Amino acid sequence: MINPILEKDLKTKMRGWRTPVLLSIYLLFLGGVLFLFFLANNQIFVYYTDTAFNPRVAVSAYNVIAMFQFVLLMLIVPAITATAISGERERQTLDLMLCSDISTWSIIIGKLIVSIAHIMLLVVASLPVMGTVFLFGGITFGEIILMFLFYVITALMVASLGIFLSTLFRKNVTAIIATYICLGILALGPVIAFFIWGVFFQRSYNVEITYSLLTAFLFPSPGYGFASFFAGTQSNLFGTIFNEIQHLAEKETNFLRYLKPWMINGLFNIIFSGILISLSAWKLQPVKKRKRKA
Amino acid sequence: MLKITNLVKRYGKFTAVDNLCMEIDEGHIFGFVGANGAGKTTTMKIVAGLLQPTSGEVLVGGIDILSEPRTVKRKIGYMPDFFGVYDDLKVDEYMDFYAGIYGIPYRERRAITDQLLELVDLSHKRDFYVDSLSRGMKQRLCLARSLIHNPSLLILDEPASGLDPRARVEMKCILKELRNMKKTILISSHILSELSEMCTSIGIISQGKMVACGTVDEIMDKLSHSSRIKIKVRDRMEDAIRLLQEQPSIGKIDIADSAIEASFKGDDQVLAEILKRLVTQGIPVVSFTETGESLESVFMHLTEGSEEYDD
Ligand SMILES: Nc1ncnc2c1ncn2[C@@H]1O[C@H](COP(=O)(O)OP(=O)(O)OP(=O)(O)O)[C@@H](O)[C@H]1O
Ligand SMILES: [Mg+2]
């Protein structure tokens, strides 16, 4: 039997106007960014001139789109997941579910799969946009698939975080804001910690920055995992940082060299999601079970 | 069927339910009456497994709600006082969703939904969006939902609140049907008369304590020595009041539309004595009636000093 919450939420989400509108805006945005990028690089109206199409620009376009999509997902996922439980509470339908014999696990997992499915829809729908870049060459199909896998794992983590905070806070608004704040801390906190460490300790002891050192600091940050999928040149600040991470990863000598940033971050995301999901299911239980008296 | 012993629920220092005990036998309908904030909803939520009690024990069919919550929840149908509906679902989809929540197989759902919508008289609305139903219909739909897994104990928190008189009557008919189906029902209201017709027993709760509990007749008996008399005089009202005030059996005296109303404790002989006194003093008594006490006033009496009563 399909999880009833999954069944119902999929039905109503697809029925409403929200999903098509969200999807359209999302695609328009990605397409717009891509268009502007080519425009800025003089690649749209140059076909009939003698200048050949520059594949380097295609790779840069891929980078821009990949990053934009990643950031967009980070912004959208909290908004659609952090209302999962608090929304039911605000609508006064949560008690109707909790007074049944369904386990809180099923409720949480149902909500989680709905959110992931929703996000997958956005990601899959964006494939044609990514495909345009793919057509120009420079990026392999395998790389795109791996990147999507990473997107889904990251989305799982953000969705779990959203659902967890949604069981914690009673109001939708509070839960959404809390999710953004926690996500911000998770993404930027490690980087800030690393810089502070760099300023105070690295200078005085003159430690060499290695991949393992970097990983020890940055592994929770989604941005660190994303570094794996950055292709191309050190054209800007992000490029420099992402390239440096990849460069360090190649130089690594111990076992960590087999683990790319996205794998380490992905593994962390999966474990962290597991913890958050268990905590949510536990927190949602209205009464804590009592051991039977002897 | 349901046995509550020494149930206590505290919110910080505030005690919402205070050492409550009660027992409902199988097939009985228990009316739970109390003013606003008396602790009815709190008690019902604890029984439905939605609220952690501070202490005490709740047994449903002999099983402790805290040791086997999921087993117990299968036996309970709960209808909260305030509830929401998914406005983007149709009536039959709504029933289907809750059937799924209770793990009822797909092939059985249709028949159960049909039967329950028939019971609450909503069959003609099955393809309508839940949002488009009137309040009374939503309330009936919620009742049908609480019956979907064929529970033996029903907990209905003010199922008739906010309904117009006609919808109340309809709700009452449905409840009578449920009684015929041999369901055990715990129903709350702050209108006692509403319950008195259909309940087998009644418990009156005030400030978290059960102040009276028993069959409807027992509750009335408890206060039978106290009733009200209504005296109409043609003239000399002051004298009549003065005379009444001298009587030890007469309590508080009010004047309502040119008649004297007084609370009275005692039997018929004392009553006859009072009438004789009035007449021998030459007071022109037009009428002299014992009004008896309605359930409402028993309720008022028992919950005296608690929060304001309103409906
Ligand atoms: N979550 C809570 N935190 C603190 N106090 C609460 C909470 N829930 C209920 N109370 C208090 O417990 C008392 C009992 O409330 P309850 O809802 O059980 O009353 P009730 O008998 O159902 O009243 P009504 O007729 O208005 O529905 C009230 O005084 C209320 O203020
Ligand atoms: Mg209440």
Side-chain angles (χ1 to χ4, degrees):
Chain A
M1 203 161 78
I2 308 173
N3 184 307
I5 291 151
L6 172 67
E7 199 181 336
K8 187 212 96 209
D9 279 6
L10 279 184
K11 195 174 354 184
T12 53
K13 281 233 164 81
M14 293 308 140
R15 186 145 67 195
W17 51 270
R18 262 172 255 241
T19 305
V21 167
L22 180 68
L23 191 61
S24 313
I25 293 177
Y26 182 73
L27 289 181
L28 275 177
F29 204 79
L30 278 187
V33 166
L34 194 63
F35 180 77
L36 285 178
F37 185 81
F38 280 125
L39 198 65
N41 284 280
N42 280 324
Q43 290 294 322
I44 288 185
F45 306 109
V46 293
Y47 271 94
Y48 305 107
T49 68
D50 50 4
T51 340
F53 186 81
N54 184 355
R56 289 258 305 279
V57 173
V59 172
S60 301
Y62 158 83
N63 281 333
V64 167
I65 282 290
M67 205 143 82
F68 250 95
Q69 196 175 22
F70 195 61
V71 172
L72 270 186
L73 283 179
M74 294 282 141
L75 293 178
I76 293 173
V77 178
I80 59 180
T81 57
T83 59
I85 304 298
S86 56
E88 298 273 348
R89 218 191 282 272
E90 275 192 4
R91 213 195 281 119
Q92 294 183 312
T93 44
L94 187 64
D95 272 359
L96 299 183
M97 242 186 259
L98 292 179
C99 75
S100 77
D101 64 339
I102 195 168
S103 71
T104 50
W105 266 97
S106 309
I107 298 178
I108 297 290
I109 296 290
K111 288 288 182 189
L112 194 70
I113 297 176
V114 176
S115 312
I116 299 292
H118 209 168
I119 295 150
M120 291 278 277
L121 183 72
L122 293 183
V123 172
V124 170
S126 73
L127 266 174
V129 180
M130 296 299 278
T132 18
V133 177
F134 180 57
L135 282 180
F136 293 130
I139 302 297
T140 66
F141 189 65
E143 279 174 312
I144 291 191
I145 293 298
L146 270 189
M147 186 176 72
F148 277 14
L149 178 67
F150 177 67
Y151 279 179
V152 172
I153 294 174
T154 310
L156 170 76
M157 187 275 290
V158 183
S160 312
L161 184 66
I163 289 179
F164 172 66
L165 292 170
S166 156
T167 56
L168 219 55
F169 294 103
R170 296 186 160 264
K171 289 221 162 120
N172 280 338
V173 191
T174 330
I176 292 176
I177 293 173
T179 310
Y180 281 125
I181 292 175
C182 287
L183 194 57
I185 291 174
L186 202 61
L188 300 177
V191 181
I192 294 169
F194 182 66
F195 272 107
I196 292 175
W197 178 85
V199 168
F200 286 104
F201 294 95
Q202 202 239 333
R203 287 253 173 88
S204 40
Y205 300 112
N206 210 2
V207 192
E208 194 194 349
I209 297 181
T210 61
Y211 182 53
S212 17
L213 186 75
L214 202 65
T215 305
F217 270 98
L218 299 186
F219 73 94
S221 175
Y224 168 73
F226 182 76
S228 289
F229 300 104
F230 189 83
T233 52
Q234 310 179 253
S235 51
N236 55 21
L237 177 66
F238 282 118
T240 316
I241 295 171
F242 290 149
N243 269 311
E244 187 56 29
I245 294 176
Q246 287 176 9
H247 191 62
L248 284 174
E250 278 156 23
K251 279 203 304 191
E252 184 62 46
T253 45
N254 66 17
F255 77 100
L256 265 182
R257 94 191 124 108
Y258 302 109
L259 296 173
K260 300 231 168 63
W262 77 270
M263 297 179 189
I264 297 170
N265 181 240
L267 194 67
F268 164 76
N269 283 346
I270 290 173
I271 295 171
F272 191 45
S273 304
I275 295 173
L276 288 172
I277 294 168
S278 316
L279 278 178
S280 311
W282 182 80
K283 184 77 188 40
L284 196 58
Q285 278 176 3
V287 291
K288 306 293 173 248
K289 223 169 157 174
R290 181 161 70 189
K291 290 280 162 288
R292 199 198 287 272
K293 277 173 271 174
Chain B
M1 186 70 212
L2 173 67
K3 188 163 189 258
I4 300 178
T5 15
N6 300 326
L7 187 68
V8 177
K9 175 71 192 177
R10 287 198 194 93
Y11 291 109
K13 276 190 180 153
F14 177 77
T15 309
V17 176
D18 193 0
N19 242 324
L20 190 103
C21 295
M22 68 186 206
E23 203 171 342
I24 310 178
D25 291 331
E26 194 138 7
H28 280 221
I29 301 186
F30 189 93
F32 204 24
V33 199
N36 289 129
K40 305 181 293 289
T41 302
T42 309
T43 310
M44 289 176 135
K45 274 194 164 175
I46 292 173
V47 177
L50 291 171
L51 204 60
Q52 182 95 39
T54 308
S55 67
E57 194 181 47
V58 177
L59 297 178
V60 177
I63 306 170
D64 186 351
I65 175 98
L66 287 182
S67 55
E68 284 177 55
R70 287 178 69 185
T71 322
V72 172
K73 281 177 181 180
R74 272 213 82 83
K75 300 180 178 207
I76 297 180
Y78 172 62
M79 177 175 169
D81 48 355
F82 297 107
F83 58 89
V85 288
Y86 301 100
D87 43 19
D88 41 11
L89 280 183
K90 289 177 178 164
V91 168
D92 56 351
E93 289 170 340
Y94 176 89
M95 293 296 283
D96 198 67
F97 170 59
Y98 284 102
I101 289 279
Y102 280 101
I104 296 164
Y106 288 107
R107 64 199 137 73
E108 291 172 22
R109 291 188 196 172
R110 172 95 200 179
I112 296 174
T113 303
D114 282 345
Q115 196 187 336
L116 288 176
L117 289 182
E118 188 69 39
L119 175 76
V120 299
D121 197 21
L122 281 177
S123 304
H124 58 294
K125 290 281 185 189
R126 62 179 308 147
D127 290 324
F128 283 61
Y129 277 99
V130 174
D131 204 24
S132 69
L133 300 185
S134 74
R135 170 152 187 178
M137 288 176 184
K138 278 183 193 160
Q139 222 127 330
R140 283 183 347 237
L141 182 63
C142 191
L143 181 62
R145 178 209 61 85
S146 68
L147 289 164
I148 200 144
H149 54 300
N150 195 18
S152 41
L153 174 65
L154 274 177
I155 299 174
L156 311 175
D157 200 351
E158 302 191 23
S161 72
L163 298 184
D164 64 38
R166 191 191 164 79
R168 265 166 204 266
V169 171
E170 282 167 358
M171 186 58 85
K172 232 177 256 182
C173 289
I174 297 170
L175 291 180
K176 273 179 192 143
E177 226 156 305
L178 290 175
R179 182 175 60 185
N180 296 339
M181 288 158 77
K182 298 273 177 289
K183 304 263 183 216
T184 311
I185 304 177
L186 171 61
I187 180 172
S188 81
S189 174
H190 39 239
I191 307 166
L192 194 55
S193 55
E194 197 175 82
L195 296 176
S196 56
E197 309 165 28
M198 58 190 343
C199 292
T200 40
S201 27
I202 279 178
I204 298 178
I205 182 173
S206 174
Q207 288 166 326
K209 289 195 187 69
M210 191 73 95
V211 286
C213 179
T215 62
V216 178
D217 293 339
E218 276 169 10
I219 294 271
M220 300 299 285
D221 262 9
K222 252 189 191 166
L223 288 120
S224 64
H225 61 279
S226 136
S227 63
R228 288 183 81 76
I229 49 172
K230 193 171 179 179
I231 304 163
K232 255 193 181 150
V233 290
R234 199 168 47 96
D235 202 4
R236 293 178 62 194
M237 177 133 15
E238 288 76 23
D239 292 338
I241 291 173
R242 203 173 312 122
L243 194 134
L244 285 171
Q245 273 165 348
E246 287 163 11
Q247 308 299 318
S249 53
I250 296 286
K252 201 167 160 279
I253 299 171
D254 309 303
I255 296 167
D257 29 278
S258 76
I260 303 164
E261 274 194 33
S263 60
F264 162 79
K265 279 183 183 178
D267 53 17
D268 288 353
Q269 206 186 332
V270 185
L271 208 56
E273 195 62 34
I274 291 171
L275 178 60
K276 194 171 133 201
R277 288 252 170 102
L278 285 169
V279 177
T280 48
Q281 290 286 319
I283 292 165
V285 178
V286 178
S287 76
F288 186 94
T289 39
E290 185 183 6
T291 53
E293 198 156 33
S294 68
L295 270 168
E296 288 309 324
S297 48
V298 174
F299 171 62
M300 290 296 279
H301 182 91
L302 280 170
T303 56
E304 235 163 57
S306 72
E307 279 164 61
E308 205 177 307
Y309 167 76
D310 69 20
D311 178 55

